[in-house]
Amino acid sequence: EEELARLGGRDVATLSPNTRWEIHNSSGRVWVHNASVDVADLLATNGVLHVLSQVLLPARGDVLPVTGVLQQLDLVPAFRLFRELLQHHKLVPQIEAATAYTIFVPTNRSLEASGNSSSMDADTVRHHVILGEALSVKTLQRGGHRNSLLGPAHWL
């Protein structure tokens, strides 16, 4: 939290090219935009998590209209490697043919750290995709199990 607090008064970039969040300190708490940091510095294998008091939503004008999965992934340079894996394994037509989908996209950094940046097999890539549902943050927060693109034996 100390590192986050040092960013007070500054705008920080997000994965969305049009959205930046202001970090500020108020009443002894660190805030990101309009959400307080309730739990700070949860260490993950490839980063740090901070639990916020509410969901951060970009302004409607900051959300770019995008049609396909590749165009959406193109908006975030940190998703380039996973985009290439979707293409390499020819999964894009199947994903875009679905009525809805959810993709859990690993960043370039996490793929490189795991040594899978260009050689991830098709089944591992499929494990990151859920067809038939566009899961909202609210739905994800409730938890549960979903079938990945690998089928019912491979829940997420």
Side-chain angles (χ1 to χ4, degrees):
E1 186 172 21
E2 290 177 23
E3 188 173 331
L4 195 58
R6 281 195 293 270
L7 296 173
R10 294 177 40 197
D11 286 348
V12 294
T14 68
L15 292 176
S16 173
N18 293 333
T19 303
R20 297 180 68 81
W21 297 125
E22 179 190 359
I23 308 296
H24 60 279
N25 301 303
S26 177
S27 303
R29 299 190 77 174
V30 177
W31 293 75
V32 179
H33 188 54
N34 57 350
S36 64
V37 177
D38 289 347
V39 179
D41 303 329
L42 298 173
L43 296 179
T45 56
N46 60 349
V48 177
L49 302 172
H50 304 293
V51 178
L52 302 178
S53 62
Q54 63 183 342
V55 175
L56 298 173
L57 296 172
R60 288 202 185 275
D62 286 352
V63 178
L64 301 173
V66 180
T67 53
V69 66
L70 295 180
Q71 293 82 6
Q72 185 70 37
L73 293 172
D74 279 341
L75 295 174
V76 183
F79 296 162
R80 178 186 55 81
L81 293 175
F82 193 76
R83 180 192 190 282
E84 290 172 4
L85 288 165
L86 288 174
Q87 286 183 292
H88 174 75
H89 295 301
K90 299 175 178 38
L91 298 174
V92 175
Q94 183 179 8
I95 294 168
E96 290 185 340
T99 55
Y101 58 85
T102 300
I103 302 174
F104 297 97
V105 182
T107 62
N108 295 341
R109 179 189 264 170
S110 65
L111 287 169
E112 289 164 347
S114 68
N116 288 325
S117 60
S118 62
S119 62
M120 185 181 286
D121 64 272
D123 283 349
T124 303
V125 175
R126 284 185 186 99
H127 192 68
H128 288 78
V129 179
I130 296 172
L131 294 182
E133 294 184 86
L135 298 173
S136 67
V137 169
K138 193 172 230 168
T139 301
L140 292 171
Q141 287 173 333
R142 284 194 301 261
H145 295 90
R146 298 294 194 274
N147 294 337
S148 74
L149 190 53
L150 286 172
H154 300 275
W155 279 2
L156 293 174

